[in-house]
């Protein structure tokens, strides 16, 4: 009767409820003898009572020992909470008519789920708590911010932030600064998802300057945001150094943050043309995600998108298509940020070039996501893919691309948008027979790309210029431009880069 309050039971839980040290042996004996108790699965230590028998036991318990029910529920809640089974813990605390205790358990245990990116589960748990209990608890409101932020629910995120601000006035003054700093880190994730960088350094400053004042999750997230910001400043050395700094904080949390960090470090390595280093980082990220969170997990698809993009560039097309196709499932809601969506939609469509309808469909899907989420960098990249594939652009887009422009260097996002658009314009000019204009703009694009800071961008711009020269009939100049770049691509294993440049 004592253990019948739980839908499932194991030896440790039974011992906690009954006080019997031999509880595990009793359960095993009952199951072996077929006495209304069955394992939940092959080799499982968890059991369930037969449904009718469980109902009988619960009725007996209610009738015979009504004064014990609440205490048993709370004992079960504590056991589940200690074993990171927060959903069960909260349900038992609520069944014991102790909503404040349920909220206490969430405040203590929700971080474990956040660190493992169990956002849907945590969202469901938070929904079970009475609003009246959560109203004055800023930490619970902040958990709700994190959940809705990662699940890409902007309206709900803003509402949770407003409730957090209201609840913050109820917090102890000593806690208020830390809660504010954590909220700023959450807001920095929102800014990163939105592909905005200007406010990032200010938002993560507190978490980085006094990291040991927080749960390791907070400096771990802040370090990943700092890595993203460094990449957008084209400070790739700093991006990689920041991940070395972050290692102890990532190790102290679940695997999700380390997967994310390795992905960003891999992006920095790739931009430096450290292709072997990028491949190692992306592969380690993917292997970690698969081993700890499963093949269909969000983190697995994030890492798979970037490794798939690199596989495409190095000529492993079968692996690239497989990984990029799987990553598509996360991109509809924004995935983990624009860099992952660039791989899934942009490189994914290029890898499907033999399947023109499939590529067209993927680009349309990506452009719809870019418009819905207001992501101009993604829009520019996908327009560029449409131009490369020879697909029609929307009304007025080609004319707008052909307007001469200078590459802005306000931040990396703006620079990337301008460079994608300029690449598109150069291809459109060459396709339209305006070869000298295409060459002139390709020369300006190459001149604006700093070789020492951005080796990969410089390599791409050089290949584009060489191809424009070739199409203009300036063969000797094209050969002088392309020969060293082709040798570099061969040395690095980037076999697809020359193939993707314009050719006659």
């Amino acid at each position: 009767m004592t253990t019948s309050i739980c839908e499932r039971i194991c030896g440790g839980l039974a011992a906690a409820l009954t006080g019997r040290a031999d509880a595990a042996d009793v359960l095993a004996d009952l199951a072996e003898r077929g006495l209304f108790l069955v394992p939940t699965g092959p080799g499982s230590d968890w059991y369930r009572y037969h449904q009718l028998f469980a109902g009988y036991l619960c009725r007996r318990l209610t009738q015979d020992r009504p004064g014990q029910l609440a205490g048993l529920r709370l004992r079960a809640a504590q056991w589940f909470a200690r074993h990171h089974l927060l959903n069960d813990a909260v349900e038992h605390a609520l069944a014991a008519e102790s909503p404040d205790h349920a909220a206490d358990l969430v405040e203590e245990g929700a971080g474990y789920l956040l660190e493992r990116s169990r956002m849907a589960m945590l969202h469901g748990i938070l929904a079970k708590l009475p609003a009246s209990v959560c109203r004055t608890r800023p930490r619970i409101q902040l958990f709700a911010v994190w959940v809705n932020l990662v699940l890409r629910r902007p309206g709900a995120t803003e509402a949770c932030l407003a409730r957090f601000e209201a609840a913050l006035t109820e917090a102890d003054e000593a806690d208020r600064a830390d809660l504010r700093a954590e909220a700023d880190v959450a807001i920095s994730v929102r800014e990163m998802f939105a592909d905005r960088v200007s406010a990032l350094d200010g938002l993560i400053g507190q978490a980085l300057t006094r990291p040991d004042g927080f749960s390791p999750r907070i400096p771990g997230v802040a370090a990943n945001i700092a890595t993203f910001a460094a990449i957008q400043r084209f400070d790739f050395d700093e991006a990689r150094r920041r991940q070395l700094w972050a290692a102890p904080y990532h190790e102290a949390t679940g695997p999700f943050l380390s997967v994310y960090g390795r992905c960003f470090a891999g992006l920095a390595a790739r931009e430096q043309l450290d292709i072997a280093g990028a491949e190692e980082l992306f592969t380690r990220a993917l292997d970690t995600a698969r081993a700890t969170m499963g093949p269909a997990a969000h983190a697995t698809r994030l890492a798979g998108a970037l490794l798939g993009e690199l596989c495409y560039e190095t000529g492993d097309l079968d692996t690239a298509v497989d990984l990029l196709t799987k990553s598509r499932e996360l991109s509809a809601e924004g995935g983990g940020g624009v860099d992952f969506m660039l791989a899934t939609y942009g490189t994914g469509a290029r890898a499907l070039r033999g399947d023109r309808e499939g590529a067209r469909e993927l680009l349309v899907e990506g452009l719809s996501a870019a418009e819905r989420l207001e992501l101009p960098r993604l829009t520019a990249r996908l327009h560029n893919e449409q131009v490369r594939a020879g697909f029609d652009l929307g009304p007025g887009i080609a004319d707008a691309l052909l307007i001469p422009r200078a590459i802005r260097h306000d931040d990396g996002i703006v620079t990337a948008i301008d460079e994608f658009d300029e690449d598109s314009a150069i291809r459109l000019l060459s396709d339209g027979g305006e070869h000298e204009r295409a060459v002139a703009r390709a020369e300006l694009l190459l001149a604006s790309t700093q070789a020492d800071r951005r080796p990969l961008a410089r390599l791409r711009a050089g290949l584009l210029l060489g191809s424009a020269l070739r199409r203009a009939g300036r063969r000797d100049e094209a050969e002088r431009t392309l020969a060293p770049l082709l040798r570099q691509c061969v040395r690095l294993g980037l076999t697809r880069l020359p193939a993707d440049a314009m050719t006659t």
Side-chain angles (χ1 to χ4, degrees):
M1 284 194 297
T2 300
T3 60
S4 68
I5 63 169
C6 299
E7 290 187 3
R8 54 181 181 147
I9 194 77
C10 68
L13 176 57
L17 291 172
T18 65
R20 291 184 58 150
D22 63 344
D25 294 334
V26 173
L27 289 174
D29 180 59
L30 291 173
E32 186 176 347
R33 293 161 60 192
L35 296 179
F36 304 108
L37 188 72
V38 293
T40 58
S44 174
D45 294 329
W46 287 90
Y47 302 89
R48 293 184 188 277
Y49 288 114
H50 186 282
Q51 186 174 1
L52 294 177
F53 186 58
Y56 165 75
L57 291 175
C58 284
R59 286 191 298 274
R60 282 285 306 274
L61 182 63
T62 303
Q63 293 167 6
D64 296 354
R65 307 178 191 173
Q68 295 182 14
L69 274 173
L72 287 172
R73 291 283 190 187
L74 292 176
R75 203 180 304 168
Q78 287 300 124
W79 188 92
F80 280 117
R82 283 198 306 272
H83 291 82
H84 303 299
L85 298 169
L86 187 59
N87 188 56
D88 299 87
V90 167
E91 287 188 346
H92 280 283
L94 292 175
E97 298 183 353
S98 184
D100 282 303
H101 185 57
D104 290 342
L105 294 176
V106 170
E107 288 188 335
E108 295 164 7
Y112 180 87
L113 296 179
L114 282 180
E115 290 164 7
R116 285 149 184 82
S117 194
R118 304 290 297 277
M119 299 302 174
M121 175 177 285
L122 184 52
H123 183 264
I125 292 170
L126 292 171
K128 295 175 182 179
L129 297 177
S132 58
V133 173
C134 301
R135 190 171 294 120
T136 58
R137 292 179 178 252
R139 186 158 297 283
I140 286 182
Q141 301 296 347
L142 193 49
F143 284 136
V145 170
W146 281 108
V147 166
N148 285 287
L149 182 64
V150 177
L151 292 178
R152 300 308 294 265
R153 295 171 173 162
T157 299
E158 294 307 313
C160 291
L161 276 169
R163 288 194 288 269
F164 166 77
E165 294 290 348
L168 192 60
T169 61
E170 304 291 331
D172 293 338
E173 188 171 350
D175 296 334
R176 207 171 295 163
D178 288 349
L179 287 166
R180 164 60 59 203
E182 181 175 342
D184 284 346
V185 173
I187 293 168
S188 78
V189 175
R190 181 194 67 186
E191 294 297 289
M192 187 268 290
F193 281 165
D195 224 22
R196 296 188 292 258
V197 297
S198 60
L200 294 183
D201 290 339
L203 290 168
I204 61 179
Q206 285 291 311
L208 295 179
T209 55
R210 51 185 189 93
D212 296 334
F214 304 91
S215 157
R217 174 174 54 87
I218 302 307
V221 173
N224 286 348
I225 297 297
T227 304
F228 170 80
I231 290 171
Q232 304 313 324
R233 293 193 300 269
F234 310 129
D235 190 348
F236 305 121
D237 286 333
E238 170 59 22
R240 299 176 77 171
R241 282 194 298 269
R242 179 57 71 179
Q243 283 305 303
L244 294 175
W245 178 91
Y249 302 102
H250 289 169
E251 289 169 4
T253 63
F256 186 78
L257 291 182
S258 66
V259 169
Y260 226 118
R262 285 178 184 140
C263 285
F264 279 147
L267 286 172
R270 179 166 153 265
E271 289 292 334
Q272 293 178 310
L273 292 179
D274 178 6
I275 304 305
E279 182 178 14
E280 180 185 0
L281 286 161
F282 293 150
T283 301
R284 286 178 62 198
L286 181 59
D287 289 346
T288 298
R290 280 175 173 165
T292 59
M293 290 174 276
H298 182 80
T300 302
R301 299 186 190 281
L302 287 173
L306 299 187
L307 181 59
E309 182 171 52
L310 189 64
C311 286
Y312 172 82
E313 292 175 340
T314 56
D316 186 357
L317 299 186
D318 290 340
T319 302
V321 170
D322 177 60
L323 291 172
L324 291 166
T325 300
K326 290 174 180 174
S327 75
R328 183 175 179 178
E329 296 182 18
L330 65 85
S331 289
E333 297 304 323
V338 171
D339 291 288
F340 301 94
M341 300 174 78
L342 295 176
T344 296
Y345 288 126
T347 308
R350 204 182 300 180
L352 291 175
R353 192 61 54 81
D355 175 10
R356 286 184 64 79
E357 285 310 306
R360 189 194 306 272
E361 177 186 331
L362 186 56
L363 291 173
V364 169
E365 180 184 316
L367 284 165
S368 175
E371 180 179 5
R372 183 178 69 256
L373 299 171
E374 300 181 359
L375 301 173
R377 181 162 59 123
L378 180 60
T379 298
R381 167 69 189 275
L382 299 187
H383 283 158
N384 182 248
E385 294 299 330
Q386 288 180 314
V387 171
R388 288 168 177 265
F391 296 146
D392 290 334
L393 299 170
I397 295 175
D399 290 339
L401 290 171
L402 290 173
I403 297 172
R405 75 200 69 207
I407 303 298
R408 295 169 293 173
H409 296 283
D410 301 344
D411 62 55
I413 305 298
V414 170
T415 302
I417 292 168
D418 287 349
E419 289 178 348
F420 285 137
D421 286 348
E422 196 63 10
D423 184 293
S424 297
I426 292 163
R427 294 172 190 275
L428 287 170
L429 288 169
S430 288
D431 290 343
E434 298 187 60
H435 298 300
E436 293 306 321
R437 287 183 63 197
V439 169
R441 290 180 70 161
E443 288 173 336
L444 289 174
L445 176 60
L446 180 62
S448 73
T449 308
Q450 297 170 295
D452 57 335
R453 297 186 66 201
R454 304 179 60 206
L456 178 58
R458 182 77 173 188
L459 174 59
R460 285 180 169 149
L463 290 169
L464 182 62
L465 173 59
S467 298
L469 286 166
R470 181 179 289 172
R471 295 190 70 178
R474 295 159 64 171
R475 298 283 177 172
D476 291 343
E477 294 172 82
E479 178 65 22
R480 287 195 298 272
T481 300
L482 288 172
L485 300 180
L486 295 176
R487 288 194 295 270
Q488 186 179 17
C489 287
V490 170
R491 186 174 67 254
L492 295 169
L494 295 173
T495 57
R496 290 299 308 178
L497 262 61
D500 287 341
M502 285 191 305
T503 56
T504 54

PDB file of all heavy atoms in Angstrom, residues 444-455:
ATOM      1  N   LEU A 444      36.884  44.812 -56.339  1.00  0.00           N
ATOM      2  CA  LEU A 444      36.589  45.598 -55.141  1.00  0.00           C
ATOM      3  C   LEU A 444      36.247  44.689 -53.955  1.00  0.00           C
ATOM      4  O   LEU A 444      36.657  44.955 -52.819  1.00  0.00           O
ATOM      5  CB  LEU A 444      35.420  46.550 -55.419  1.00  0.00           C
ATOM      6  CG  LEU A 444      35.726  47.732 -56.350  1.00  0.00           C
ATOM      7  CD1 LEU A 444      34.456  48.513 -56.658  1.00  0.00           C
ATOM      8  CD2 LEU A 444      36.769  48.654 -55.712  1.00  0.00           C
ATOM      9  N   LEU A 445      35.512  43.611 -54.223  1.00  0.00           N
ATOM     10  CA  LEU A 445      35.167  42.678 -53.153  1.00  0.00           C
ATOM     11  C   LEU A 445      36.425  42.037 -52.573  1.00  0.00           C
ATOM     12  O   LEU A 445      36.588  41.948 -51.348  1.00  0.00           O
ATOM     13  CB  LEU A 445      34.220  41.598 -53.685  1.00  0.00           C
ATOM     14  CG  LEU A 445      33.838  40.485 -52.701  1.00  0.00           C
ATOM     15  CD1 LEU A 445      33.136  41.057 -51.470  1.00  0.00           C
ATOM     16  CD2 LEU A 445      32.953  39.439 -53.386  1.00  0.00           C
ATOM     17  N   LEU A 446      37.332  41.611 -53.457  1.00  0.00           N
ATOM     18  CA  LEU A 446      38.574  41.000 -52.984  1.00  0.00           C
ATOM     19  C   LEU A 446      39.398  41.999 -52.186  1.00  0.00           C
ATOM     20  O   LEU A 446      39.955  41.664 -51.130  1.00  0.00           O
ATOM     21  CB  LEU A 446      39.387  40.479 -54.174  1.00  0.00           C
ATOM     22  CG  LEU A 446      40.725  39.816 -53.832  1.00  0.00           C
ATOM     23  CD1 LEU A 446      40.512  38.576 -52.975  1.00  0.00           C
ATOM     24  CD2 LEU A 446      41.490  39.473 -55.108  1.00  0.00           C
ATOM     25  N   ALA A 447      39.466  43.243 -52.663  1.00  0.00           N
ATOM     26  CA  ALA A 447      40.271  44.258 -51.983  1.00  0.00           C
ATOM     27  C   ALA A 447      39.732  44.575 -50.589  1.00  0.00           C
ATOM     28  O   ALA A 447      40.490  44.963 -49.690  1.00  0.00           O
ATOM     29  CB  ALA A 447      40.318  45.534 -52.820  1.00  0.00           C
ATOM     30  N   SER A 448      38.429  44.410 -50.398  1.00  0.00           N
ATOM     31  CA  SER A 448      37.827  44.734 -49.100  1.00  0.00           C
ATOM     32  C   SER A 448      37.975  43.609 -48.082  1.00  0.00           C
ATOM     33  O   SER A 448      37.643  43.789 -46.909  1.00  0.00           O
ATOM     34  CB  SER A 448      36.336  45.046 -49.277  1.00  0.00           C
ATOM     35  OG  SER A 448      35.606  43.852 -49.534  1.00  0.00           O
ATOM     36  N   THR A 449      38.474  42.452 -48.521  1.00  0.00           N
ATOM     37  CA  THR A 449      38.580  41.283 -47.644  1.00  0.00           C
ATOM     38  C   THR A 449      40.009  41.158 -47.147  1.00  0.00           C
ATOM     39  O   THR A 449      40.934  40.975 -47.940  1.00  0.00           O
ATOM     40  CB  THR A 449      38.185  39.997 -48.403  1.00  0.00           C
ATOM     41  OG1 THR A 449      36.912  40.193 -49.007  1.00  0.00           O
ATOM     42  CG2 THR A 449      38.115  38.819 -47.455  1.00  0.00           C
ATOM     43  N   GLN A 450      40.187  41.254 -45.851  1.00  0.00           N
ATOM     44  CA  GLN A 450      41.535  41.246 -45.268  1.00  0.00           C
ATOM     45  C   GLN A 450      42.059  39.819 -45.184  1.00  0.00           C
ATOM     46  O   GLN A 450      41.514  38.980 -44.460  1.00  0.00           O
ATOM     47  CB  GLN A 450      41.505  41.874 -43.878  1.00  0.00           C
ATOM     48  CG  GLN A 450      41.097  43.343 -43.892  1.00  0.00           C
ATOM     49  CD  GLN A 450      40.846  43.870 -42.491  1.00  0.00           C
ATOM     50  OE1 GLN A 450      39.931  43.445 -41.809  1.00  0.00           O
ATOM     51  NE2 GLN A 450      41.693  44.803 -42.063  1.00  0.00           N
ATOM     52  N   ALA A 451      43.150  39.550 -45.901  1.00  0.00           N
ATOM     53  CA  ALA A 451      43.679  38.188 -45.974  1.00  0.00           C
ATOM     54  C   ALA A 451      44.158  37.682 -44.627  1.00  0.00           C
ATOM     55  O   ALA A 451      43.984  36.514 -44.285  1.00  0.00           O
ATOM     56  CB  ALA A 451      44.812  38.127 -46.997  1.00  0.00           C
ATOM     57  N   ASP A 452      44.787  38.570 -43.831  1.00  0.00           N
ATOM     58  CA  ASP A 452      45.347  38.105 -42.564  1.00  0.00           C
ATOM     59  C   ASP A 452      44.276  37.790 -41.533  1.00  0.00           C
ATOM     60  O   ASP A 452      44.439  36.904 -40.701  1.00  0.00           O
ATOM     61  CB  ASP A 452      46.323  39.147 -42.008  1.00  0.00           C
ATOM     62  CG  ASP A 452      45.671  40.509 -41.823  1.00  0.00           C
ATOM     63  OD1 ASP A 452      44.680  40.792 -42.533  1.00  0.00           O
ATOM     64  OD2 ASP A 452      46.150  41.292 -40.985  1.00  0.00           O
ATOM     65  N   ARG A 453      43.147  38.494 -41.593  1.00  0.00           N
ATOM     66  CA  ARG A 453      42.095  38.276 -40.605  1.00  0.00           C
ATOM     67  C   ARG A 453      41.070  37.252 -41.065  1.00  0.00           C
ATOM     68  O   ARG A 453      40.467  36.581 -40.234  1.00  0.00           O
ATOM     69  CB  ARG A 453      41.374  39.601 -40.307  1.00  0.00           C
ATOM     70  CG  ARG A 453      42.256  40.673 -39.674  1.00  0.00           C
ATOM     71  CD  ARG A 453      41.428  41.865 -39.281  1.00  0.00           C
ATOM     72  NE  ARG A 453      40.487  41.551 -38.215  1.00  0.00           N
ATOM     73  CZ  ARG A 453      39.391  42.257 -37.956  1.00  0.00           C
ATOM     74  NH1 ARG A 453      39.092  43.315 -38.700  1.00  0.00           N
ATOM     75  NH2 ARG A 453      38.583  41.914 -36.966  1.00  0.00           N
ATOM     76  N   ARG A 454      40.852  37.130 -42.370  1.00  0.00           N
ATOM     77  CA  ARG A 454      39.752  36.298 -42.866  1.00  0.00           C
ATOM     78  C   ARG A 454      40.223  35.435 -44.043  1.00  0.00           C
ATOM     79  O   ARG A 454      39.839  35.657 -45.193  1.00  0.00           O
ATOM     80  CB  ARG A 454      38.584  37.188 -43.285  1.00  0.00           C
ATOM     81  CG  ARG A 454      38.088  38.108 -42.191  1.00  0.00           C
ATOM     82  CD  ARG A 454      36.956  38.977 -42.703  1.00  0.00           C
ATOM     83  NE  ARG A 454      35.839  38.170 -43.155  1.00  0.00           N
ATOM     84  CZ  ARG A 454      34.958  38.569 -44.069  1.00  0.00           C
ATOM     85  NH1 ARG A 454      35.090  39.745 -44.651  1.00  0.00           N
ATOM     86  NH2 ARG A 454      33.965  37.793 -44.426  1.00  0.00           N
ATOM     87  N   PRO A 455      41.015  34.430 -43.762  1.00  0.00           N
ATOM     88  CA  PRO A 455      41.588  33.626 -44.850  1.00  0.00           C
ATOM     89  C   PRO A 455      40.551  32.932 -45.728  1.00  0.00           C
ATOM     90  O   PRO A 455      40.711  32.891 -46.954  1.00  0.00           O
ATOM     91  CB  PRO A 455      42.451  32.600 -44.106  1.00  0.00           C
ATOM     92  CG  PRO A 455      42.756  33.235 -42.789  1.00  0.00           C
ATOM     93  CD  PRO A 455      41.564  34.046 -42.449  1.00  0.00           C
TER      94      PRO A 455
END
